[in-house]
Amino acid sequence: FRSAMPDLRVTIGDLFGEGDRIAARVEMEGTHTGSPLFGVPSSGLPVALEQFHVIELDADGRGARHWANVGADTIALGHLRRNATMDE
């Protein structure tokens, strides 16, 4: 992400845990001025992604398994893809 968005900002929106699992909602924002992002060439457009992570910890408290999802309602990436293809 950093190579695609040199001004990348990451914010942890929520962080909580129970038992051997922790969960986080992470917001990533930046301007797509670098390398291709998800196959889309650099566009100069702002990008906002929301991610959800669940991490299962082992007996020593280290990450043993990890699940992640970029929100299906991430409109900004669709906007980025449309604008990049319209300029061609």
Side-chain angles (χ1 to χ4, degrees):
F1 287 107
R2 179 82 52 202
S3 65
M5 298 179 288
D7 63 344
L8 180 67
R9 294 172 307 283
V10 178
T11 304
I12 297 176
D14 292 298
L15 181 63
F16 54 92
E18 184 174 331
D20 63 350
R21 293 191 181 181
I22 57 173
R25 180 178 58 83
V26 178
E27 299 167 352
M28 301 172 72
E29 297 178 300
T31 309
H32 188 205
T33 58
S35 63
L37 179 62
F38 299 113
V40 177
S42 179
S43 66
L45 295 172
V47 176
L49 299 170
E50 186 174 52
Q51 299 181 343
F52 299 91
H53 298 268
V54 176
I55 301 169
E56 183 177 72
L57 305 175
D58 66 14
D60 295 322
R62 294 182 297 224
R65 295 176 68 187
H66 175 236
W67 300 269
N69 185 34
V70 175
D73 59 344
T74 303
I75 304 301
L77 186 57
H79 178 70
L80 172 65
R81 186 175 303 279
R82 280 191 305 279
N83 284 335
T85 56
M86 288 173 57
D87 292 339
E88 294 176 353

